Amino acid sequence: HTNRTHSNFTVGQVVPVEDSMRKPEKFRVVLLVGMLIVSVMYVGFGLLGYLSFGKDVQAEIMVNMYVNEHPTILSTIVAILLSIALASTFPVQLVPVIQSIEKSLNLTNYHIPIKWRELKRNAIRTAIVLFAGAIAISIPHFGLFVSLVGGLGCAMIAFTIPSICHYKIFGKDLPWYVKSKDILIAAFGVIGGIACTYTTTVSLIAAFNGPNYGYCTPPNATDG
């Protein structure tokens, strides 16, 4: 879904990459190439899902691979690979939060013996990841909440706000086609965010009110 895609285009993945680069001056090229590849992958997989399953496509595409509501070998392999991907990338997304917490707890002080400093830092990082995972498990319909976050905030962060800032800061020196690009991207973010928020809100209401919410139940055939 587009709203869930928005939630993945966050600065949380960008900052750690730039900080860890050997040549940060080449970050712009890396960012452009990476965003292009990721965008093509998201659009491609989303389009293939809708072309394959139509309106019956599920938020988790693996569900569509089930046979008689039972997992298949293919869906199991996809689930394993997805789990590995999430386990590898989710801690990276938390790096800015972890860095802020470590700084507030003075764990970046190099006068502390390295053994205890690293032990405390690893313990805090592990606890944060486990805490976030526990929240995801405990919240019902968590996937819809993630989509709601993507529609409400991430669409603005990924598309609208950067375009507006670029336009306001460099607008006087930009050619007309660059200004038009900024306006179009900002408008796309607003429209996409509103559409994603609306559809996700409707889905959440339906999920909490039962499968028949919002639909007319046909009258019983025996009723006169």
Side-chain angles (χ1 to χ4, degrees), residues 12-178:
Q13 295 173 330
V14 173
V15 175
V17 174
E18 184 178 13
D19 289 341
S20 61
M21 287 185 64
R22 182 176 298 177
K23 298 180 179 179
E25 65 275 7
K26 296 184 178 181
F27 173 71
R28 184 176 181 180
V29 177
V30 174
L31 178 63
L32 291 175
V33 174
M35 289 292 290
L36 178 62
I37 295 174
V38 171
S39 299
V40 171
M41 290 177 61
Y42 271 117
V43 174
F45 278 106
L47 183 61
L48 289 174
Y50 279 106
L51 289 176
S52 301
F53 304 105
K55 65 179 182 179
D56 295 324
V57 66
Q58 301 293 320
E60 301 297 338
I61 194 66
M62 293 178 295
V63 178
N64 289 109
M65 300 179 183
Y66 290 177
V67 176
N68 297 325
E69 299 185 355
H70 293 286
T72 61
I73 296 177
L74 178 60
S75 64
T76 302
I77 294 174
V78 172
I80 293 173
L81 294 176
L82 180 60
S83 299
I84 295 173
L86 291 174
S88 302
T89 58
F90 182 66
V92 178
Q93 298 179 39
L94 292 177
V95 166
V97 178
I98 292 172
Q99 288 177 338
S100 299
I101 294 175
E102 289 177 349
K103 187 177 294 184
S104 64
L105 296 177
N106 199 31
L107 293 179
T108 56
N109 186 355
Y110 289 95
H111 295 291
I112 302 175
I114 186 171
K115 178 180 178 180
W116 294 108
R117 184 175 72 242
E118 294 303 317
L119 181 62
K120 292 180 180 178
R121 292 177 68 181
N122 290 331
I124 290 175
R125 293 178 181 186
T126 303
I128 292 173
V129 173
L130 293 176
F131 178 70
I135 292 176
I137 294 173
S138 61
I139 296 178
H141 308 294
F142 183 73
L144 292 176
F145 281 103
V146 173
S147 297
L148 185 62
V149 172
L152 283 173
C154 294
M156 299 291 291
I157 294 174
F159 298 106
T160 306
I161 294 177
S163 300
I164 292 176
C165 290
H166 185 259
Y167 186 91
K168 293 293 290 184
I169 295 173
F170 304 104
K172 295 181 179 180
D173 302 322
L174 295 176
W176 66 269
Y177 56 87
V178 177

Side-chain angles (χ1 to χ4, degrees), residues 2-4 6-7 145-156 189-190 192-198 200:
T2 306
N3 39 4
R4 202 168 292 183
H6 289 167
S7 67
F145 281 103
V146 173
S147 297
L148 185 62
V149 172
L152 283 173
C154 294
M156 299 291 291
V190 172
I194 293 174
C196 294
T197 302
Y198 172 76
T200 306

